[in-house]
Amino acid sequence: QNSTTCFDQRLRIQERVQSLVIIMPPTNVLAQESFVNPIQIHATGCDGIPLTDVSASMAVSIKDNAGSGKLLGNTQVLIANGIAFFTDLKIDLFGEGYTLKFSFVGRNIAVPDIVSAPFDVQKAPDLLVFETGTNLHNTQTRAGLPFTVQP
């Protein structure tokens, strides 16, 4: 047995990826907004060290759905240098206590899934009102739409 390969005596099969580790977990976020920091998951061997030469993917889904939301964005990404980066995930409905489940997609189907700590998806404001300087005029916009006028 070397540092990145486990050997099962019963099956005589070598499997490299043995576990998943959440390095950058999901944090509280606004509904319909991407997580501020990309979620990062390591694919590790027996010794817990990320495997830099894995040719596989990682999938994510909602496990505990606190607000009946849908997970949007790229829900399956390639593992690069032992790390899966989820950069554009968002949840469409607000609620408290969401969790995400991460699954290895590769030869070793025995790699256990990993579940994030609970986080909240907060309701986005319905309307924002901006007042600028002494020349106050109606500068309203709705969440999720681009600003039409910038100072």
Side-chain angles (χ1 to χ4, degrees):
Q1 175 177 353
N2 66 36
S3 65
T4 59
T5 303
C6 293
F7 188 74
D8 187 322
Q9 295 291 344
R10 296 167 293 152
L11 300 176
R12 302 215 182 276
I13 297 174
Q14 292 183 340
E15 294 294 358
R16 296 182 47 72
V17 176
Q18 295 298 310
S19 64
L20 307 176
V21 178
I22 299 173
I23 299 303
M24 180 66 68
T27 56
N28 293 348
V29 67
L30 291 176
Q32 298 283 346
E33 296 287 331
S34 295
F35 289 94
V36 174
N37 296 312
I39 299 168
Q40 298 177 32
I41 312 297
H42 282 188
T44 64
C46 292
D47 53 9
I49 295 174
L51 300 171
T52 59
D53 60 349
V54 174
S55 295
S57 298
M58 187 93 51
V60 61
S61 60
I62 294 176
K63 176 154 182 2
D64 296 307
N65 197 337
S68 300
K70 293 179 186 165
L71 185 61
L72 306 172
N74 192 358
T75 58
Q76 185 166 327
V77 298
L78 292 174
I79 298 170
N81 293 321
I83 305 172
F85 289 93
F86 293 92
T87 59
D88 66 346
L89 294 178
K90 57 181 90 170
I91 296 176
D92 65 343
L93 297 176
F94 66 94
E96 295 179 1
Y98 277 95
T99 61
L100 297 179
K101 177 179 77 170
F102 299 91
S103 304
F104 179 74
V105 181
R107 285 184 319 157
N108 188 359
I109 60 172
V111 175
D113 296 339
I114 191 167
V115 177
S116 72
F119 60 91
D120 299 335
V121 177
Q122 300 159 347
K123 184 177 180 183
D126 293 326
L127 179 68
L128 299 175
V129 177
F130 295 91
E131 297 179 5
T132 58
T134 57
N135 184 12
L136 300 179
H137 52 285
N138 189 359
T139 55
Q140 297 181 358
T141 188
R142 294 210 175 272
L145 299 176
F147 292 107
T148 55
V149 177
Q150 293 290 324

